[in-house]
Amino acid sequence: MAIVLELAAQALQMLLVLALAPLMLGITRKIKARLLRRVGPPTWQPYLDIWKLLHKEAVLAHNASWLYRTAPYFLFATTWVAAALVPTYATNLMFSWSADLIAIVALLATGRFALALAGMDVGTAFGGIGSSREMMIASLAEPAMLLVVFSVALIAGTTQLSSMAALFIHGSVGLRVSLGLAMFAFIFVAIAENARIPVDNPATHLELTMVHEAMVLEYSGRHLAMIEAAAGLKLLFYFSLLACLFVPFGMVTGDKNTDAVLIGLMTYLGKIVLLAVLLPIGETSVAKMRVFRYPIFLGSAFAASALAVFLLFVSRSF
């Protein structure tokens, strides 16, 4: 019976992130539209879009290879697994042992690599531009992300997410300069990885500024549905990871009874909805930057995370 309950708790988390991912996109789009004094689409519009795309025929280029056909499914699978491994409402779930932060970052990088290859597969100019820019952003963002991982791991003594969250909830970590720098760097990396303003604009199709949209411009039908679902999952992944590492309060760490699980679920929903509201507020406050300024933006994240690691090597009290 205990194994059944553990499986149910893990399945709940996997289905929870899958169900909430389009909602995060819907909330951010709705809030952004209201801030721009527009009505905007309803918050459930991403669900309708994905459902519509799943029932449309996929149009493929005549020279598209197997990589172009399979990349959307591979991207969706890797992003879903990564998002499902991050503790959301509870720690120490059945598959928590595999929630190593370095492995999760590698999972996301694998999906990005597959999509970049697919963008170049059909040989269009937009796909090549988008893939090259995506790899440039990845080469700048991933080192900063790994340094964020190292800085948090030096404090927690592990890279296992459940152990990190449990330590930050019950331990005497307190407020630290290194954690503040790591959170600053993490937010910058999350903005770049999710193709949000000021790095990219997910609502544009202007060829001079497209990054992510340029790679997926040739996709349609069920393939585009997988990519849209993966985009929502990736956004939810970074929301969940931010909540897990830096504001883990409210998570269930002990007995997973009904009341504790409900409190954990409500707390988790409150945190990610708050982040989904804050994101468009920040986006409408800044302008889209030029491509040549990306290294400055992500370089600041790298510098902040490197400083966090350096401070922890100087003294663990930082």
Side-chain angles (χ1 to χ4, degrees):
M1 187 63 182
I3 296 178
V4 174
L5 292 177
E6 289 293 330
L7 277 173
Q10 185 65 63
L12 174 62
Q13 175 159 302
M14 296 184 68
L15 295 176
L16 181 68
V17 296
L18 186 62
L20 290 177
L23 181 62
M24 295 300 102
L25 293 176
I27 293 175
T28 55
R29 291 171 184 173
K30 184 67 174 181
I31 297 296
K32 189 173 182 179
R34 298 302 297 174
L35 290 172
L36 297 175
R37 297 187 178 183
R38 294 188 285 108
V39 176
T43 54
W44 59 86
Q45 187 63 45
Y47 295 99
L48 303 178
D49 292 340
I50 293 173
W51 180 260
K52 178 182 67 176
L53 289 170
L54 285 173
H55 291 79
K56 281 192 170 184
E57 181 183 359
V59 180
L60 298 174
H62 69 279
N63 59 338
S65 69
W66 62 269
L67 177 64
Y68 184 83
R69 296 178 176 88
T70 57
Y73 302 104
F74 184 76
L75 174 68
F76 173 78
T78 54
T79 311
W80 186 17
V81 170
L85 287 177
V86 178
T88 55
Y89 68 93
T91 61
N92 297 321
L93 297 178
M94 177 169 280
F95 297 144
S96 293
W97 58 270
S98 61
D100 184 87
L101 193 48
I102 297 177
I104 291 174
V105 172
L107 262 179
L108 290 178
T110 306
R112 181 196 300 112
F113 178 68
L115 188 62
L117 287 179
M120 296 186 294
D121 185 66
V122 294
T124 60
F126 283 167
I129 291 173
S131 296
S132 63
R133 289 178 177 176
E134 181 74 11
M135 289 297 99
M136 180 193 70
I137 293 173
S139 66
L140 297 169
E142 286 178 6
M145 184 64 187
L146 287 176
L147 285 177
V148 171
V149 173
F150 293 155
S151 62
V152 179
L154 284 172
I155 297 174
T158 179
T159 56
Q160 209 270 343
L161 281 173
S162 286
S163 301
M164 286 181 175
L167 175 68
F168 292 154
I169 292 172
H170 300 297
S172 57
V173 176
L175 295 176
R176 298 195 180 198
V177 177
S178 56
L179 278 179
L181 291 170
M183 186 172 68
F184 171 83
F186 179 85
I187 292 173
F188 273 38
V189 170
I191 290 172
E193 291 280 13
N194 285 281
R196 311 298 301 195
I197 294 175
V199 176
D200 191 15
N201 186 358
T204 186
H205 283 89
L206 181 63
E207 60 271 16
L208 295 178
T209 60
M210 285 192 300
V211 179
H212 180 268
E213 293 299 320
M215 290 190 297
V216 303
L217 201 59
E218 300 296 323
Y219 278 109
S220 61
R222 61 184 181 276
H223 297 144
L224 186 57
M226 292 293 102
I227 294 172
E228 290 293 326
L233 283 168
K234 193 173 185 179
L235 182 63
L236 181 62
F237 163 79
Y238 278 97
F239 284 169
S240 301
L241 191 57
L242 179 63
C244 175
L245 292 179
F246 302 105
V247 280
F249 62 87
M251 297 176 66
V252 182
T253 57
D255 185 25
K256 298 178 181 63
N257 55 63
T258 305
D259 293 338
V261 169
L262 286 176
I263 293 173
L265 286 172
M266 296 304 295
T267 306
Y268 171 67
L269 288 174
K271 287 187 284 189
I272 61 172
V273 169
L274 177 62
L275 291 172
V277 172
L278 292 176
L279 177 62
I281 294 176
E283 284 189 313
T284 53
S285 304
V286 295
K288 168 78 170 62
M289 66 174 60
R290 294 180 298 171
V291 175
F292 300 108
R293 297 183 65 88
Y294 292 170
I296 300 174
F297 180 81
L298 290 171
S300 61
F302 180 84
S305 56
L307 182 58
V309 175
F310 175 75
L311 289 176
L312 287 170
F313 273 112
V314 171
S315 174
R316 291 299 176 92
S317 62
F318 282 107

